[in-house]
């Protein structure tokens, strides 16, 4: 199973910048640009971007905002590792893998509690259970929650990666491969998964909401330590966007439709599975992420000597979101 671990991205840290209360002249002089991702699997980021909340918050400091699209947790973490972004949207389990691999990122905020992944097959497929995947091909994006979800599902069914063939594709390509019949199944991610359901009649043959880890916002540990006020200010803007999303779901849906370029019915399905009621990160998220890490360790995906509980404790920093509304 060591080969599976090798396939997870070697995740690192990026130079970061944070947003928080009043920014001193010295800090403003040091920070000229904040680089932050947006993603269709993180609907709150779309409102944050559309409403220009960060731009408004930092305009007086002469700090510009640069937006970068992340196509999956693996890409967000890859960009953090390369120093291309300062804040990245990922699944909690993906962030844990980063810490296990020695990359000291911090998860500082919850942007959603989604059921954004399930195992998917075509409408005419005879696959009805995880056990049916033995000897089959499965499209999956490495280093993401769907990857973790797939590994855990196989383990629960008494299978390993040796019993199936992983076809490593980015999420959009995985959906296309399933649609074309190039693979037998796909570890899906919304909104593409919802599009497969609504537009093509694809079947979610294995669902387990509890095995979907939280959507978390990450920043490098060093940046969080050096610029805590900026981090808090970024989260304050995120919190404003989250509250707008809850108060005006039509605006959230419109932003997601525009960004994802998908029909309203597809976006409705995604949003049905997306809970935006929590933003503070802490013990509840730690428990979910720890369970994912222990399951991966038991399956042989993570090293046997990794201290999962300590790694989760090092990963999650509740200090930046503790004053936010639950």
């Amino acid at each position: 199973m060591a080969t599976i671990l090798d396939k997870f991205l070697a995740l690192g840290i990026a130079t970061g910048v944070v947003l928080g209360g009043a920014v001193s002249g010295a800090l403003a002089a040091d920070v000229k640009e904040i680089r932050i991702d947006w993603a269709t699997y993180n609907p709150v980021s779309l409102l944050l971007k559309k409403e220009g909340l960060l731009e408004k918050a930092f305009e007086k400091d002469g700090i510009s905002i640069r937006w970068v699209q992340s196509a999956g947790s693996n890409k967000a973490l890859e960009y953090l590792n390369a120093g291309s972004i300062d804040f990245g949207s990922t699944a909690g389990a993906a962030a844990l893998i980063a810490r296990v691999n020695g990359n000291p990122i911090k998860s500082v905020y919850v942007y959603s509690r989604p059921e954004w992944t399930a195992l998917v097959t075509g409408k005419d497929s005879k696959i009805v259970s995880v056990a049916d995947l033995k000897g089959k091909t499965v499209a999956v994006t490495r280093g993401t929650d769907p990857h973790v979800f797939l590994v855990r599902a196989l383990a629960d069914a008494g299978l390993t990666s040796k019993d199936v063939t992983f076809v490593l594709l980015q999420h959009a390509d995985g959906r296309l491969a399933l649609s074309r019949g190039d693979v037998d199944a796909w570890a899906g991610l919304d909104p593409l998964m919802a599009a497969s359901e609504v537009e093509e009649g694809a079947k979610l043959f294995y669902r387990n909401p509890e095995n979907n880890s939280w959507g978390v916002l990450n920043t490098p540990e060093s940046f969080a330590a050096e610029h805590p006020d900026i981090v808090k200010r970024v989260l304050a803007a995120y919190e404003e966007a989250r509250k707008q999303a809850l108060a005006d779901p039509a605006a959230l849906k419109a932003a997601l439709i525009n960004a994802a370029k998908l029909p309203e019915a597809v976006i409705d399905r995604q949003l049905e599975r997306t809970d935006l009621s929590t933003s503070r990160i802490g013990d509840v998220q730690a428990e979910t992420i720890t369970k994912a890490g222990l399951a991966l360790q038991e399956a042989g995906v993570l090293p046997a000597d990794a201290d999962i509980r300590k790694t989760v404790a090092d990963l999650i920093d509740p200090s930046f979101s503790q004053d936010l509304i639950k």
Side-chain angles (χ1 to χ4, degrees):
M1 295 294 289
T3 55
I4 299 178
L5 180 60
D6 292 339
K7 289 178 181 178
F8 281 99
L9 293 176
L11 305 173
I13 67 170
T15 55
V17 255
V18 195
L19 309 136
V23 180
S24 68
L27 179 57
D30 291 340
V31 178
K32 295 298 184 183
E33 180 181 66
I34 293 168
R35 300 157 303 169
I36 187 166
D37 76 345
W38 65 274
T40 56
Y41 57 85
N42 176 1
V44 176
S45 71
L46 304 180
L47 270 188
L48 185 69
K49 181 175 183 288
K50 180 177 180 291
E51 298 299 324
L53 298 177
L54 289 177
E55 287 82 354
K56 294 171 185 176
F58 286 92
E59 183 179 8
K60 64 182 180 298
D61 304 298
I63 298 174
S64 62
I65 308 298
R66 178 152 59 91
W67 291 93
V68 178
Q69 183 180 10
S70 290
S73 293
N74 62 325
K75 289 299 181 182
L77 289 160
E78 183 180 322
Y79 297 152
L80 283 168
N81 185 48
S84 302
I85 60 174
D86 306 308
F87 292 90
S89 311
T90 76
L96 171 62
I97 293 166
R99 287 291 311 204
V100 170
N101 285 339
N103 300 308
I105 58 171
K106 286 287 189 181
S107 298
V108 295
Y109 183 81
V110 172
Y111 59 79
S112 72
R113 176 65 193 273
E115 185 195 356
W116 53 17
T117 186
L119 300 186
V120 188
T121 194
K123 65 178 181 179
D124 298 322
S125 173
K126 295 181 180 180
I127 294 173
V128 296
S129 70
V130 179
D132 293 336
L133 292 178
K134 188 171 183 177
K136 300 295 195 298
T137 55
V138 184
V140 62
T141 306
R142 63 185 181 183
T144 65
D145 225 28
H147 194 173
V148 176
F149 186 87
L150 172 60
V151 170
R152 295 182 70 180
L154 291 172
D156 289 345
L159 302 176
T160 73
S161 64
K162 295 180 180 179
D163 295 307
V164 301
T165 299
F166 285 7
V167 179
L168 300 178
L169 297 169
Q170 201 58 43
H171 298 298
D173 295 325
R175 180 205 171 184
L176 183 59
L178 180 67
S179 177
R180 289 177 172 174
D182 296 337
V183 294
D184 298 302
W186 168 47
L189 182 75
D190 272 338
L192 297 171
M193 183 169 70
S196 290
E197 282 186 278
V198 173
E199 298 178 343
E200 299 165 10
K203 298 179 294 186
L204 276 55
F205 69 91
Y206 178 74
R207 297 174 66 175
N208 188 339
E210 294 303 313
N211 283 3
N212 286 246
S213 65
W214 297 79
V216 299
L217 188 69
N218 307 283
T219 192
E221 185 174 58
S222 59
F223 186 81
E226 292 168 10
H227 307 292
D229 287 340
I230 293 190
V231 174
K232 289 179 181 178
R233 196 163 156 197
V234 168
L235 300 194
Y238 244 102
E239 187 65 4
E240 185 177 350
R242 185 187 71 88
K243 288 189 286 187
Q244 286 189 19
L246 291 173
D248 191 354
L252 177 68
K253 182 165 71 173
L256 190 48
I257 289 172
N258 181 65
K261 310 301 182 187
L262 291 170
E264 182 176 354
V266 171
I267 299 306
D268 282 337
R269 186 69 58 89
Q270 176 186 359
L271 291 177
E272 287 173 5
R273 297 193 281 248
T274 303
D275 181 358
L276 303 179
S277 63
T278 299
S279 58
R280 293 175 61 177
I281 194 166
D283 292 343
V284 175
Q285 291 73 33
E287 181 181 1
T288 299
I289 296 169
T290 297
K291 286 180 179 178
L294 292 174
L296 292 173
Q297 191 175 54
E298 185 176 351
V301 175
L302 293 178
D305 60 352
D307 189 336
I308 299 300
R309 296 186 188 281
K310 182 180 184 303
T311 304
V312 172
D314 292 338
L315 170 69
I316 293 179
D317 190 338
S319 65
F320 298 104
S321 66
Q322 62 185 358
D323 294 331
L324 301 177
I325 298 173
K326 292 184 179 181

